[in-house]
Amino acid sequence: MAHIHTSAPHSGTGFFHNVGSAILNFFTAIAESNSRMREAERLNAMSDQELARIGLKREDIARHVFRDMYYV
């Protein structure tokens, strides 16, 4: 699960604060429901030995999960 923490010098309950919060919550929900994120979380929960068995290193998880979207 992705955790996002934001802080602002002054937060309030004004219109722009509410709109910003709604947008942030929307994109957070999209990211968390994305099947690629679930796959990354599943792989990240594996031990280093389990990852080695399938030919991955922990630092290569994101590259592996997003390999067809991003050319890194």
Side-chain angles (χ1 to χ4, degrees):
M1 177 188 322
H3 295 280
I4 298 174
H5 174 76
T6 60
S7 60
H10 55 68
S11 64
T13 57
F15 173 76
F16 291 109
H17 174 77
N18 292 339
V19 169
S21 293
I23 291 170
L24 180 64
N25 291 339
F26 173 75
F27 284 113
T28 301
I30 288 173
E32 289 178 349
S33 65
N34 188 324
S35 64
R36 292 177 192 270
M37 292 302 293
R38 287 193 300 270
E39 175 67 6
E41 289 172 1
R42 183 185 72 79
L43 291 170
N44 208 26
M46 296 174 121
S47 70
D48 290 339
Q49 292 78 20
E50 291 171 319
L51 288 172
R53 226 174 297 146
I54 61 173
L56 278 177
K57 295 180 192 172
R58 190 161 307 280
E59 62 266 18
D60 295 331
I61 291 174
R63 186 176 300 126
H64 173 75
V65 172
F66 293 99
R67 67 189 171 276
D68 61 332
M69 289 183 67
Y70 303 108
Y71 302 101
V72 288

